[in-house]
Amino acid sequence: MDSLFLAALSVCSLTVSACGGKWSSKARSCSDLKDFYSGRRYSLDGIPQFEICGEHLRICSQGYTCCTSEIEDDLATKSRTEMEGLLKEAGRTLQTSLIGQYKAFDGYFLELLNRSAINLQETFLATYGLLYSQNSEVFSELYNDLRHYYQGSNVNLEEVLNEFWAKLLEKLFYQANKQYYIGEDYLECVSKQIETLRPFGDTPRAMKTVITRTFVAARSFIQGLVISGEVVRKVSQVQLTPSCMRAMMKMTYCPLCRGVASARPCANYCINVMKGCLANQADLDTEWKHLAETMIEVAGRFDGPSGVDSVVLALPIRIAEAMLTMGENIQTINSKVFQACGNLKEGRSGSAGANDMKKVEVMVENRSATSPDKMVKLVSDVTVRLRDMQPYWVTLPSMLCSDRVATGTGAEDKCWNGMSRARYLPEVMGDGLASQISNPEVEIDITKPDMTIRQQIMQLKIMTHRLKNALNGQDVDFQDTSDDASGSGSGMCADNVCSRVARPALPVTDRPTYYDLPPENKKVKGSNGSQNLPSITIYLLPLLILLLWR
C-alpha cells in the first residue's frame, strides 16, 4: 500500500514539475495555432481550445502547450519539408549561376569553332573549287574531331592532329604528281615519311602546341562548371539527420506550441542550429575554393593575344601556311619520297612542272582576329561569379537564417532561444563537422561523416587536379569523372528537368548550327567569314598555280 502511494506521489510530482502548477494559473488560448492551421487550410480537428500540459511532447519543452502529440509530429514534418526546400532552393540559385556561365562560354567557343570552319570552307572552295570539294573530308574531319574533343568525347587530340597532317600530305602529294600512277600502298608509304620530310615546316608542331593548350583548357574549364553543378545538386539532396530535424522543429514551431507564435529565433541560436545541420556540407569549403580558384586561373588564359579567339580563328591561316610551305618545296619532297618509297610510273594525264613553279612573295595579313571584347567580358563575368560562390558552403547557415531571425531594438532579449523568449547565451560554433563536437543544439557524431558528401569532396579534388594539368597543357581524360555513372542526372539541371549525356555528362544547350564541309552547289555564308578571305587566299594562290601547272 505504501509503495502504491509513493508511486502516485512520484507521478504527481513529475506532472507538477512539467506543467509548473497547472491549476494555479489561467491557461492561455490556442488561437495562434488555430490561425496558423486555418491560414494554410489545414484541419482544425484536434487543436485544443486552451493550453494543456505538455508532458506528452517529445521535442518541445514539456510545459503548457497547445500541441498534442499528433500536432507536434505534423509540425516536425513541416519543418523538415521547409528546411529541405530551403536547401534545394539555395542550390538551384547556385546552379542557375553555373548554368549561365556554362551556356555563355560553351556557346561562344562553339561559335568560334563554327566560324573558323566556315571561313576555311569558303576560302578553300573559292580557290580550289571541285579540287577542294573532292578532298574536303580531310578538313571537315579535323573540325568535327576538335568539336567532339571539346564536348568531352573520347578523342585523342594528338592523334587527331597527326592523322590530319598525314592525310593532307597524301592528298597534296597525289595532286602534285598527277602524271604518275599512285596507289594506296604508295600513299601510305608517303605519309609514313612525314617526320623525315617535314613537308609543312614548323606549322604542325606550332599548331599542336597552341591547339592542345587551348582545347584542353576549354574542355577542362567547361567540365569544371559541370562538376560544380553536379556537386551542388547531389549535396542538396543529402538527407538531414533526425537530430537536425528535431533542432529545426524546436527552433521553428515550438514557439507556436508554447503560445508565443510571434517570437523569432535568436540570431546565434539559428546559426548554431544551421551549422549543426550543415556540418558535413561545410567540409566542402576547402576543396570548393580550390576548384573555383583554379577555374579562375584557367579562365584567365582565354583572352589576350594567344587566347581562344586568336587560336581558333587562325586555324585556316595556319593550314594554308603549311600547304604553301609544301608547295614551295615540292621538288625536294618528291626526291626524298622517291628515294624512300620507290620511283613512280608515268601514265596518268597531267604534266610534270615542279621546276617551273614560280616563287611568289607572300604578304601575311591575319584578319581572322576579332574584337576581344566578348571574351574579355566572359572572363570577367565568370571570374566574378566564381569568386562569389567560393564561400558558399560556410556562409549557407547565415544565408538560411537571414530571413527568419529576430531583428530590431532589444531583439536579443526577446527572441526565441529554444526554451523561451530570452537571450541566447551559448557561443557560436565554428564551421565543419569537427567543430560541432560541443554544439548545444544538434547532437552530432563527428566520427561518422556523410559518405555522399565525402565522395563529392573527392570529385572536387579530382577536378581541381585535372584543371591544374590543363594549365600545363597536359591532356585530360574525363572518363569516370562522376561517381554516379549510372545516371542520376547532370549537374546542369534547370526547372527540375535533368538529362544525362553519356561521357561526360554535359548539358544540352542552344548551340550554333554546324555546317558540313563542303556544301554542294552553294557556298555557306558564315558570320564574319568574308573578313578572312584575303589573307588565306594569298597563301593558297601559289599552291593552286603549282597544282594547275602540273
Side-chain angles (χ1 to χ4, degrees):
M1 193 72 173
D2 290 341
S3 61
L4 290 174
F5 175 76
L6 290 174
L9 183 61
S10 175
V11 170
C12 291
S13 65
L14 287 173
T15 302
V16 170
S17 175
C19 297
K22 181 177 179 181
W23 307 107
S24 62
S25 61
K26 184 178 180 181
R28 286 174 292 188
S29 169
C30 292
S31 58
D32 285 346
L33 183 59
K34 288 185 177 183
D35 291 343
F36 174 82
Y37 268 67
S38 177
R40 286 159 178 75
R41 297 184 179 180
Y42 299 148
S43 172
L44 301 181
D45 295 342
I47 299 178
Q49 292 290 330
F50 297 97
E51 290 180 329
I52 59 176
C53 185
E55 57 190 355
H56 56 278
L57 298 177
R58 293 178 298 170
I59 299 176
C60 300
S61 58
Q62 295 181 333
Y64 286 117
T65 184
C66 288
C67 293
T68 62
S69 295
E70 292 76 12
I71 291 175
E72 186 184 44
D73 291 342
D74 179 57
L75 293 175
T77 300
K78 285 179 174 57
S79 68
R80 180 190 190 99
T81 302
E82 290 169 0
M83 178 62 174
E84 290 173 344
L86 287 172
L87 288 175
K88 289 179 179 178
E89 181 60 32
R92 276 193 294 268
T93 300
L94 182 54
Q95 283 180 283
T96 299
S97 177
L98 292 168
I99 289 171
Q101 297 308 306
Y102 174 91
K103 287 184 176 181
F105 182 82
D106 181 64
Y108 185 63
F109 189 87
L110 290 173
E111 176 192 341
L112 289 176
L113 198 57
N114 206 35
R115 283 171 53 194
S116 180
I118 292 169
N119 179 38
L120 182 143
Q121 174 179 277
E122 290 183 335
T123 307
F124 282 41
L125 187 60
T127 305
Y128 289 110
L130 183 62
L131 184 62
Y132 166 72
S133 298
Q134 291 173 341
N135 300 286
S136 63
E137 72 278 358
V138 176
F139 306 98
S140 62
E141 286 176 5
L142 171 64
Y143 277 95
N144 286 336
D145 286 339
L146 290 177
R147 187 179 293 113
H148 292 154
Y149 173 84
Y150 163 72
Q151 292 174 326
S153 297
N154 188 17
V155 176
N156 185 299
L157 204 52
E158 183 175 0
E159 290 179 2
V160 164
L161 294 173
N162 289 341
E163 186 176 355
F164 167 73
W165 293 116
K167 285 183 178 179
L168 187 60
L169 172 59
E170 291 180 11
K171 297 291 185 183
L172 294 181
F173 180 83
Y174 183 86
Q175 293 296 334
N177 292 278
K178 285 185 176 181
Q179 71 275 21
Y180 297 114
Y181 283 115
I182 305 176
E184 292 295 327
D185 291 342
Y186 196 91
L187 288 176
E188 184 177 349
C189 177
V190 172
S191 64
K192 288 180 179 178
Q193 310 306 312
I194 193 167
E195 291 296 328
T196 303
L197 295 173
R198 298 186 72 240
F200 304 114
D202 291 331
T203 300
R205 180 189 57 79
M207 268 187 63
K208 176 184 173 182
T209 300
V210 297
I211 287 178
T212 300
R213 184 180 66 240
T214 299
F215 277 77
V216 168
R219 183 167 92 149
S220 60
F221 178 77
I222 210 76
Q223 188 67 9
L225 292 173
V226 172
I227 293 300
S228 299
E230 187 80 354
V231 168
V232 174
R233 182 186 65 81
K234 290 183 177 180
V235 172
S236 297
Q237 295 175 348
V238 169
Q239 295 294 311
L240 300 170
T241 65
S243 177
C244 166
M245 296 324 303
R246 284 194 297 271
M248 285 300 303
M249 166 61 189
K250 186 177 178 182
M251 180 178 71
T252 307
Y253 287 120
C254 283
L256 191 60
C257 291
R258 286 295 303 272
V260 285
S262 62
R264 307 190 75 181
C266 300
N268 288 350
Y269 172 44
C270 182
I271 293 295
N272 275 347
V273 170
M274 293 299 182
K275 285 195 173 188
C277 286
L278 304 174
N280 283 281
Q281 286 85 336
D283 282 346
L284 288 157
D285 179 64
T286 299
E287 295 306 325
W288 182 260
K289 286 179 178 176
H290 286 167
L291 176 61
E293 288 166 358
T294 310
M295 289 180 67
I296 290 170
E297 192 174 354
V298 172
R301 304 280 183 91
F302 291 153
D303 58 358
S306 59
V308 171
D309 296 69
S310 301
V311 171
V312 176
L313 293 178
L315 289 178
I317 292 180
R318 300 287 84 82
I319 293 172
E321 218 172 28
M323 293 170 66
L324 177 59
T325 299
M326 180 172 173
E328 290 176 338
N329 297 282
I330 191 63
Q331 293 183 23
T332 304
I333 292 170
N334 277 352
S335 176
K336 291 181 179 179
V337 168
F338 295 158
Q339 268 191 338
C341 302
N343 293 322
L344 291 168
K345 295 181 180 180
E346 293 191 19
R348 291 173 59 205
S349 60
S351 59
N355 292 330
D356 296 326
M357 178 182 177
K358 296 182 179 180
K359 298 287 184 179
V360 178
E361 185 177 352
V362 179
M363 296 299 294
V364 179
E365 183 179 2
N366 184 352
R367 296 186 182 178
S368 64
T370 58
S371 171
D373 290 348
K374 188 167 184 178
M375 180 54 73
V376 170
K377 186 177 185 306
L378 284 174
V379 171
S380 176
D381 288 348
V382 77
T383 300
V384 171
R385 297 293 179 88
L386 290 172
R387 289 199 192 284
D388 288 345
M389 82 176 196
Q390 280 185 300
Y392 175 78
W393 298 109
V394 292
T395 58
L396 188 55
S398 298
M399 184 172 65
L400 295 177
C401 285
S402 61
D403 294 332
R404 66 168 63 210
V405 298
T407 58
T409 306
E412 292 182 356
D413 296 318
K414 298 178 182 178
C415 55
W416 176 255
N417 65 7
M419 298 294 294
S420 62
R421 298 185 74 160
R423 181 180 291 267
Y424 183 74
L425 299 178
E427 63 180 5
V428 174
M429 298 293 102
D431 300 315
L433 184 62
S435 299
Q436 308 309 310
I437 190 170
S438 301
N439 192 310
E441 309 306 333
V442 184
E443 184 179 347
I444 300 175
D445 185 349
I446 64 172
T447 65
K448 296 180 179 179
D450 184 272
M451 295 312 298
T452 297
I453 292 178
R454 297 296 134 176
Q455 290 171 355
Q456 299 313 304
I457 291 174
M458 183 56 64
Q459 291 305 308
L460 294 174
K461 287 182 178 180
I462 292 171
M463 191 65 241
T464 301
H465 177 70
R466 288 171 171 168
L467 282 161
K468 288 181 177 178
N469 283 342
L471 284 169
N472 297 323
Q474 298 176 12
D475 204 350
V476 182
D477 179 14
F478 285 112
Q479 189 170 11
D480 298 329
T481 296
S482 173
D483 62 325
D484 185 12
S486 61
S488 62
S490 166
M492 293 299 175
C493 299
D495 299 327
N496 296 323
V497 178
C498 296
S499 62
R500 191 173 186 85
V501 181
R503 204 179 181 282
L506 291 175
V508 178
T509 60
D510 295 330
R511 288 173 171 164
T513 303
Y514 304 138
Y515 296 88
D516 294 328
L517 300 175
E520 294 191 13
N521 301 324
K522 63 180 181 178
K523 290 173 65 176
V524 178
K525 297 297 181 182
S527 62
N528 296 330
S530 60
Q531 290 183 5
N532 307 345
L533 184 58
S535 60
I536 300 176
T537 304
I538 289 174
Y539 284 115
L540 298 179
L541 285 176
L543 188 58
L544 179 59
I545 293 171
L546 167 67
L547 296 176
L548 293 177
W549 211 291
R550 300 185 64 81

